[in-house]
Structures are given as structure tokens and as C-alpha cells.
């Protein structure tokens, strides 16, 4: 029965925190809480590897992912294997800290969507995906720090913006390696371009207009996210959130001027330093 759910092999990749686009458990987060953040990250990394693994069928991916969620809910036991044990560890962390279990199981919902769905029809449909794929991360961090419900809406906006810019960064690679495209297909049709145009070495004018339309949505989300740092009571978490808000703005602007089909559009160490300097004004703001 265990093999029916988990399979016989660990399919996780060698990716780690240093491979991510944004800081994971950075030094700005209290050392007391950082291990819990790593538990959450390790669980998410394993689930992401499961759904992106090209050696598994969609049904196998979904079965493994639902097994991860069942472990989080305490419905089944996990085998003594590294990938499955990340769910065991995170369940312990969530129960210990009082952070709701759905900050983990909602992520699984998004990964199950990825196993079942590879095309999107509207901005609203994309935001629905972000509701499960990205927003739970912000909620986990805020609730871990004991923050109030007032922080949730701007956090959701920030996390959704981060997810969309990540889709834009990876738009060509996602299509090439996973046959997955998060750009609303009707937007491409309205500009007279096709999904296969995303496989080109450079963006056609129609593709560029679609990317800018997505970035218009990101800008609106980023405007909402600006309110987040001033609502966060914990000073270190306030600074962390302010840095990420600044980084998201920087990356969105860069995606306006660089072509993600032609090159990897990414943040630099200088961007991180700039974001930290801009964010410092929030440190003693309350």
C-alpha cells in the first residue's frame, strides 16, 4: 500500500534554498523561527519536485501529492524516506507553532492543479492558482510570527505578484520542459500570436504586449502589497516583508525592459542591497 501512494523511489531534486528567486529563511527572520521556515520550505521543495518530475505520470504525481497532504492532516503514516518525512516534520512544526495545517495542504492543491492542468484562460483563473500556490507561503510566515488578520490581504497580493513574475521569468522553460503555460490563452489570441511563439528566441511585439499586460496586473498587486510592512508588528518580519516588496517591484520593472524569452531575467546581489536599504525605513516605523 505504501508503494501504491509513494512509489519506490525518491524523486526529489538537488535544488535548495540558494536556487530560489527570493530569500528563504533569510537572516532577517529570527533564529528561533528560522528552523520552522526551513521545514516549510523543504516540504514545498519536495512537492514541487514531485509535480515537475517528468518520469512520473500525472496520476502518480497526484497520488504522491495527496499522500503528502494526508500526512499533514494526520490521516496516514509516511514511510521512512526523506521526501515523505518532510511532511511528517512539517506537521510537527505546524502543531507546535499553532499555524493552520491548510498553509501546507493548500500548497498541495496548487501542485495537484499543475499535475492536471497546463493551460490558463484568464487573469482570474491565474489568480485562483496563485491563491493556492503562493499565498499560503506568506500566510505561514505571518501566522508563524503571530501577526494579525490585517496583514493577510496585502500579503496575498504580494505573494500573487511574486508568483506571476516567476511565471514570466520561466515562461519559455516551463513550456519547453513541462508543456506548461500560465499566460491566459485568449490574451495571446487577441494579439494575433500563438503559444508556440513563446518558444522563439525573442519576443514578438504581440508577445511583448501580453507580457506587459501581465505586468500591469502585477503592478496593481504590488500597489496593494505596499501596505504590508506597516501592518507587521514584529520588526524583523516587517523588514523581511519590506525587502521582498522592494525586490518584487525591482524584478517587475526589469521584466518590462528585458526579454525573458531571450535571457534569464533575475535579481542580483546589488538588487538585494538596494532593497534592504529602501526597506530599512520600515524597521523602526512603529
Amino acid at each position: 500500500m505504501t508503494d501504491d501512494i509513494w512509489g519506490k523511489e525518491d524523486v526529489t531534486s538537488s535544488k535548495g534554498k540558494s536556487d530560489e528567486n527570493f530569500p528563504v529563511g533569510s537572516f532577517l527572520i529570527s533564529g528561533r523561527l528560522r528552523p520552522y521556515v526551513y521545514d516549510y520550505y523543504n516540504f514545498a521543495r519536495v512537492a514541487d519536485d514531485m509535480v515537475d518530475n517528468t518520469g512520473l505520470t500525472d496520476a502518480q504525481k497526484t497520488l504522491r501529492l495527496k499522500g503528502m497532504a494526508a500526512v499533514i492532516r494526520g490521516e496516514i503514516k509516511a514511510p521512512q524516506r526523506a521526501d515523505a518525512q518532510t511532511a511528517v516534520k512539517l506537521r510537527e512544526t505546524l502543531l507546535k507553532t499553532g499555524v493552520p495545517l491548510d498553509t501546507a495542504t493548500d500548497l498541495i492543491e496548487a501542485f495537484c492543479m499543475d499535475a492536471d492542468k497546463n493551460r490558463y484562460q484568464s487573469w482570474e483563473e491565474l489568480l485562483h492558482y496563485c491563491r493556492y500556490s503562493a499565498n499560503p507561503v506568506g500566510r505561514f510566515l505571518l501566522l508563524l510570527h503571530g501577526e494579525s488578520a490585517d496583514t493577510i490581504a496585502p500579503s496575498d497580493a504580494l505573494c500573487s505578484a511574486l508568483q506571476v513574475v516567476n511565471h514570466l521569468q520561466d515562461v519559455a522553460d516551463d513550456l519547453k520542459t513541462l508543456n506548461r503555460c500560465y499566460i491566459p490563452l485568449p490574451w495571446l489570441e487577441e494579439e494575433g500570436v500563438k503559444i508556440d511563439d513563446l518558444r522563439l528566441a525573442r519576443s514578438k511585439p504581440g508577445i511583448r504586449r501580453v507580457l506587459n499586460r501581465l505586468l500591469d496586473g502585477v503592478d496593481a498587486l504590488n500597489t496593494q502589497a505596499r501596505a504590508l510592512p506597516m501592518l507587521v508588528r514584529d520588526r524583523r518580519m516587517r523588514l523581511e516583508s519590506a525587502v521582498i516588496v522592494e525586490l518584487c517591484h525591482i524584478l517587475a520593472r526589469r521584466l518590462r525592459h528585458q526579454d525573458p524569452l531571450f535571457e534569464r531575467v533575475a535579481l542580483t546581489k546589488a538588487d538585494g542591497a538596494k532593497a534592504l536599504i529602501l526597506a530599512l525605513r520600515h524597521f523602526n516605523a512603529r
Side-chain angles (χ1 to χ4, degrees):
M1 183 64 181
T2 296
D3 284 350
D4 290 342
I5 295 175
W6 299 98
K8 295 181 179 180
E9 296 181 4
D10 185 328
V11 297
T12 53
S13 73
S14 60
K15 287 184 179 179
K17 296 182 287 295
S18 61
D19 298 300
E20 303 301 333
N21 294 313
F22 287 84
V24 176
S26 78
F27 71 93
L28 296 177
I29 292 177
S30 165
R32 177 179 64 85
L33 298 178
R34 217 171 296 153
Y36 302 140
V37 177
Y38 294 155
D39 290 341
Y40 190 86
Y41 171 78
N42 291 335
F43 170 84
R45 177 75 267 156
V46 164
D48 193 22
D49 287 342
M50 284 180 179
V51 77
D52 286 351
N53 188 281
T54 56
L56 298 176
T57 67
D58 291 343
Q60 289 171 329
K61 293 175 183 179
T62 300
L63 195 60
R64 288 191 184 210
L65 289 166
K66 289 186 175 180
M68 296 278 280
V71 171
I72 290 290
R73 290 190 294 265
E75 296 169 352
I76 64 172
K77 292 183 178 181
Q80 294 296 319
R81 207 174 69 193
D83 55 354
Q85 286 299 307
T86 61
V88 175
K89 182 62 176 174
L90 182 56
R91 173 176 165 79
E92 293 172 355
T93 285
L94 296 174
L95 293 176
K96 180 178 180 179
T97 60
V99 176
L101 299 181
D102 63 14
T103 56
T105 56
D106 279 358
L107 281 182
I108 297 298
E109 286 294 320
F111 291 127
C112 286
M113 288 183 208
D114 280 335
D116 184 58
K117 180 183 180 69
N118 59 9
R119 298 290 185 271
Y120 285 77
Q121 298 298 320
S122 68
W123 174 253
E124 292 72 25
E125 201 172 70
L126 181 56
L127 287 186
H128 175 74
Y129 172 77
C130 294
R131 154 70 181 84
Y132 292 95
S133 68
N135 299 3
V137 179
R139 295 183 182 207
F140 169 81
L141 288 170
L142 291 169
L143 295 173
L144 180 66
H145 284 79
E147 298 298 334
S148 71
D150 293 343
T151 62
I152 298 300
S155 172
D156 284 353
L158 174 60
C159 292
S160 291
L162 291 168
Q163 181 69 89
V164 176
V165 295
N166 182 244
H167 290 330
L168 290 173
Q169 286 177 289
D170 296 338
V171 61
D173 194 50
D174 282 345
L175 188 60
K176 178 182 178 180
T177 61
L178 302 169
N179 190 30
R180 197 181 293 155
C181 181
Y182 297 94
I183 295 177
L185 296 185
W187 292 14
L188 295 172
E189 294 172 8
E190 290 168 19
E191 293 295 345
V193 291
K194 300 177 181 179
I195 195 168
D196 279 342
D197 291 326
L198 295 169
R199 304 180 192 274
L200 300 176
R202 293 181 183 270
S203 293
K204 288 183 174 181
I207 292 291
R208 183 67 258 179
R209 288 190 292 271
V210 171
L211 300 183
N212 286 343
R213 186 173 175 182
L214 283 164
L215 287 167
D216 289 342
V218 168
D219 288 347
L221 292 169
N222 275 337
T223 297
Q224 298 174 50
R226 279 287 187 200
L228 178 61
M230 293 303 296
L231 296 172
V232 176
R233 292 170 297 192
D234 181 274
R235 289 199 303 171
R236 295 178 69 122
M237 187 60 205
R238 188 189 316 147
L239 186 55
E240 172 87 351
S241 65
V243 167
I244 295 176
V245 166
E246 296 297 341
L247 288 174
C248 193
H249 277 79
I250 290 169
L251 186 52
R253 288 195 297 269
R254 186 158 297 154
L255 282 161
R256 290 269 186 191
H257 301 291
Q258 293 179 236
D259 185 355
L261 268 61
F262 175 68
E263 60 186 333
R264 174 69 178 174
V265 181
L267 294 167
T268 66
K269 290 183 178 179
D271 293 328
K274 179 181 178 181
L276 179 58
I277 292 170
L278 291 171
L280 281 171
R281 67 185 184 272
H282 294 287
F283 190 61
N284 293 311
R286 292 177 63 132

